[in-house]
Amino acid sequence: MQFHLHQHDTKQPTWMLITSQQLDHLKSQADFAPLATLIDAYAFKADFNEVLTGVNSQGHIVYLLGLGDSEKLDATKTQKLATTIVKNSQNKHEAISVDCANLAEKLQPLLVQAISQANYVFDENKSEKSKAVLNHVDFVNAKALTQNDLDYCKALHQGQSFARDLGNRPGNVCIPAYLAEQAIELGKQYPELLKVTVLETKQIQALGMNAFLAVAQGSVNEGRVITLEYKAAGEQKPVVLVGKGITFDTGGISIKPAASMDEMRFDMCGAASVLGVMRALCEAKLPINVVGAIAAAENMPSGNATRPGDVVKSMSGQTIEILNTDAEGRLVLCDTLTYVKRFEPELVIDIATLTGACVVALGKVYSGLFCDDEQLTAQLRQAGEQSHDRVWHMPMAEDYQDGLKSNFADMANIAGPYGGAITAACFLKRFTKDYTWAHLDIAGSAWLSGDAKGATGRPVPMLMQFLANRAKKA
């Protein structure tokens, strides 16, 4: 998708964002005389998200899009406006202009981002493809935007769409080896920026990553630990992003109910977001060092699968009693969190569709943020607000650790029925004592269900904003 700036209107279909107070002024302009007649005929008032279509005196298509009360406009409403623009433009136009003169400057970057998100289509498995996807947008009178801003949005769009594509691919395609192949292809696409390493079963065994293997061993599709090293800031210590990549989660022996199990293709969205960020970084060429690490495995029930009650020794040396094989994400993550110490990180953020409890707590709006470091917490929250990919800071007090006690090992992999997102974070915390760490539970935000079913590509926007802020400060 291409984004460009123009100072004046073009001949392509134009969306004018307009408030009710500006209607009289618009009607008085000779260029919009044909529209003035329509405004009166249809009693168009420029209420929020109200649309009127017509032509100007040159015969060019003009869409009037109501902003309502401009003082009440916020990021959420801006997203709705973007969706309206795209839905009314797809399958009609390949290129449009958007006149932002009446949109608050702080909302203009969000409008660009929201248009790119709304324009996403996943139809690679359908016989009939989308007839025409919007592929070019010119922004007119957008004082808050530079071409560099638009280039960044294009990079973000490519990374987020990549993450969504990976999340939407079915489990018979997107297996652990497939994620490794995608990482390798990314390395080939950006050889000067990325170094890709893939660990297979024998190497994982040699490292003592037995918690990871306890999940992967039930499937014929063997697990992979994948790292992508992006280096664009000399010897600066890297930010490490660790993604949960359970390419399909049946629950293992603790098998899930059949209803909605198809959505467990999305249990690798943490890994997909890491790959999306790495691609966006390569496109944006941010001056920062980042390592992406992916724990890729398939959780299946079989004669080789881990049993509830089994005990394993993790790479850290701590032992784990696996009381529930459906609490598998924390098992592949805990060993990967130990493995990434070798990169001497400045900080580590893991991203995981970890718990249904987080969905109960926060729904589909916020991602759960668990972090004891005040500065990192503030930076992630700020990035979430800037990108409208928001996080909510959750507690992780030491009191919650009691629920993980085991009579047979150093810890159990699951606690009682309450505070499940918190106790899952507390489990991971035991493996992150050597560095500054944050955990993002994206079980609610990573995908949508129902008519809009599909991966969202979150939290790629928030993570990219976080990295861009750090790069700017450096």
Side-chain angles (χ1 to χ4, degrees), residues 95-203:
I96 61 170
S97 294
V98 179
D99 190 329
C100 299
N102 301 314
L103 184 67
E105 292 187 5
K106 66 179 180 179
L107 297 175
Q108 290 175 12
L110 286 175
L111 179 69
V112 182
Q113 181 179 313
I115 286 174
S116 75
Q117 292 168 341
N119 192 49
Y120 174 82
V121 173
F122 185 80
D123 59 4
E124 64 183 41
N125 296 317
K126 292 191 174 185
S127 301
E128 186 174 341
K129 308 298 183 185
S130 296
K131 294 177 182 177
V133 176
L134 189 61
N135 58 33
H136 188 109
V137 183
D138 288 330
F139 291 91
V140 181
N141 298 317
K143 295 179 181 179
L145 297 175
T146 66
Q147 190 58 48
N148 286 338
D149 294 329
L150 298 186
D151 291 342
Y152 171 83
C153 286
K154 178 183 175 182
L156 175 59
H157 170 71
Q158 291 182 327
Q160 189 172 8
S161 296
F162 183 43
R164 295 174 82 172
D165 285 347
L166 291 171
N168 286 329
R169 287 183 182 132
N172 61 322
V173 173
C174 189
I175 61 175
Y178 180 82
L179 286 181
E181 290 166 6
Q182 294 298 300
I184 291 168
E185 286 301 312
L186 212 55
K188 290 178 180 177
Q189 190 173 348
Y190 306 100
E192 296 179 359
L193 291 171
L194 279 186
K195 175 186 175 184
V196 179
T197 305
V198 178
L199 303 181
E200 299 188 5
T201 300
K202 287 185 179 180
Q203 296 160 297

Side-chain angles (χ1 to χ4, degrees), residues 320-341:
I320 305 165
E321 182 184 13
I322 302 173
L323 294 178
N324 189 323
T325 64
D326 194 26
E328 84 298 327
R330 64 201 73 184
L331 296 175
V332 298
L333 285 174
C334 72
D335 274 346
T336 309
L337 288 167
T338 301
Y339 177 76
V340 298
K341 285 195 296 183

Side-chain angles (χ1 to χ4, degrees), residues 41 80 124 162 175 237 242 272 299 317 327 329 347 372 432-433 464:
K80 292 179 179 178
E124 64 183 41
F162 183 43
I175 61 175
K237 287 187 174 183
V242 179
N299 189 23
L347 59 93
D372 285 337
T432 62
K433 295 178 180 178
M464 277 297 292

Side-chain angles (χ1 to χ4, degrees), residues 389-401:
D389 183 6
R390 293 164 293 176
V391 297
W392 191 262
H393 190 211
M394 302 281 281
M396 198 169 42
E398 196 66 23
D399 312 50
Y400 291 102
Q401 291 283 357

Side-chain angles (χ1 to χ4, degrees), residues 15 51 53 63 83-90 92-93:
W15 283 84
V51 178
T53 309
Y63 295 90
T83 300
T84 297
I85 291 170
V86 171
K87 283 188 175 180
N88 283 275
S89 300
Q90 280 182 340
K92 296 178 184 176
H93 314 297

Side-chain angles (χ1 to χ4, degrees), residues 241-246 266-274 293-295 327-334 336-337 349-359 362 366-370 421 424-425 428 437-447 458-459 462-463:
L241 306 176
V242 179
K244 173 188 171 185
I246 300 298
F266 300 121
D267 210 18
M268 42 63 69
C269 282
S273 70
V274 170
I294 292 167
E328 84 298 327
R330 64 201 73 184
L331 296 175
V332 298
L333 285 174
C334 72
T336 309
L337 288 167
I349 303 169
D350 78 74
I351 309 103
T353 51
L354 205 63
T355 65
C358 196
V359 188
L362 299 176
Y366 284 79
S367 299
L369 167 63
F370 299 81
L428 294 176
W437 163 76
H439 161 58
L440 295 174
D441 193 330
I442 61 168
S445 58
W447 80 90
R458 294 178 63 190
M462 186 274 286
L463 290 171

